Amino acid sequence: MKVKEMVDLTNDIVQRYYKNDIQPFLDHVDERVLWYGPAIGQFLSGRKNVMDAWSAEKHSLTFTLGNVRLDHISSHSSYCEVMMSFPVTTHYPDGDHVTMDQIIHITWCERKIDGEKVPRMLVVHISDLYHKHKDDNIYPVHFNEVYKGYVPITRAANNRRVYFHGTDAADLYLIPDTIIYAESIDYGRHSMLYTTEGAFRTSLSTTALENEHPDFLIRCHKCHLVNPVHIISISRFKVTLSNGKELAIPEKKYTAFRKEIHKKWANTGKSD
């Protein structure tokens, strides 16, 4: 099976699934599918049981996905395993919400149907992860403290995403407004993207990022690009970002950088 095609298909099906468009998912369920999780006792075996379960499902929930990472674990001519991880917020009709980090592990197999080879989902395993408190070792003693005030993902997150290739062969689909800044790593060959949902290593240099995404990544230093929406302030030779990070601005570049940021801000109504 072609890995990139299966990664893209997984991404498309899951994204549509969380927009309550479940038909593409159902169309790709294998006759012998095994479904696990995410809750205790959620186990379904066989396409008929999956179809029966979904035909009986009625709800008024909506969902918002954050930044998405996809990894292919193994592949063969007739099977492929893809793991997809992302934060997801469940929105309830009463206005309440719950945000969890989720991992979906799908084992794809190839079936011959009407003389054609088609991909089918043989195993679907969904896990909800919880964040570990710094004082916890094995057991989540401080679970309530971790999730107190946990910020939901904005509903706008379901819109535009930008593709990046990870240095570890991961496929990244990131929401531009979540990217705070980029840092040059590996002697300038690659970049680290720091976002509101964690850091992601990409195979692109900061120069390539600057050229490909000038709408939301502006250079403030030879090692750093910043996203104007996350700039809190610009003072003499430094910029302060929404995560508290302060980055240096070379004296020779300061005036030009400040002018460029103000031009970006003018389009959004923001000012310092």
Side-chain angles (χ1 to χ4, degrees), residues 7-196:
V7 167
D8 290 344
L9 180 59
T10 300
N11 181 53
D12 180 63
I13 286 175
V14 173
Q15 297 256 10
R16 292 170 69 175
Y17 177 92
Y18 278 105
K19 291 178 182 176
N20 287 323
D21 177 11
I22 66 169
Q23 195 57 50
F25 162 74
L26 296 177
D27 290 343
H28 288 84
V29 170
D30 189 68
E31 291 295 335
R32 299 172 58 190
V33 69
L34 296 177
W35 172 288
Y36 297 91
I40 294 174
Q42 283 188 316
F43 171 74
L44 296 169
S45 177
R47 177 180 173 83
K48 183 180 184 305
N49 288 328
V50 170
M51 299 296 283
D52 288 347
W54 259 259
S55 64
E57 180 72 15
K58 291 180 175 59
H59 68 81
S60 300
L61 305 176
T62 57
F63 309 92
T64 308
L65 270 62
N67 289 325
V68 173
R69 174 190 172 111
L70 292 110
D71 295 273
H72 70 273
I73 305 165
S74 59
S75 62
H76 186 266
S77 59
S78 59
Y79 74 86
C80 180
E81 292 185 272
V82 179
M83 185 173 286
M84 185 172 179
S85 56
F86 50 87
V88 56
T89 295
T90 302
H91 304 279
Y92 293 87
D94 62 1
D96 203 359
H97 60 262
V98 175
T99 300
M100 295 293 289
D101 286 291
Q102 194 162 93
I103 289 180
I104 298 181
H105 181 177
I106 297 178
T107 300
W108 289 93
C109 66
E110 198 169 67
R111 299 296 192 200
K112 202 165 188 178
I113 300 176
D114 296 330
E116 291 188 15
K117 292 181 179 180
V118 294
R120 290 291 182 262
M121 290 183 285
L122 187 60
V123 178
V124 180
H125 186 187
I126 303 177
S127 304
D128 283 336
L129 308 178
Y130 65 86
H131 288 268
K132 182 176 178 291
H133 190 277
K134 61 181 178 63
D135 294 329
D136 287 343
N137 185 22
I138 301 297
Y139 297 102
V141 177
H142 300 86
F143 182 86
N144 288 344
E145 294 178 32
V146 172
Y147 280 90
K148 190 182 296 180
Y150 198 84
V151 179
I153 303 161
T154 172
R155 290 176 186 264
N158 271 342
N159 298 324
R160 181 190 174 207
R161 282 181 171 77
V162 176
Y163 173 78
F164 299 93
H165 188 264
T167 56
D168 51 1
D171 290 277
L172 309 172
Y173 293 85
L174 307 183
I175 303 161
D177 281 356
T178 68
I179 299 172
I180 303 172
Y181 73 100
E183 181 176 42
S184 178
I185 59 173
D186 299 334
Y187 302 100
R189 296 194 306 274
H190 306 132
S191 302
M192 184 75 80
L193 289 172
Y194 293 91
T195 79
T196 56

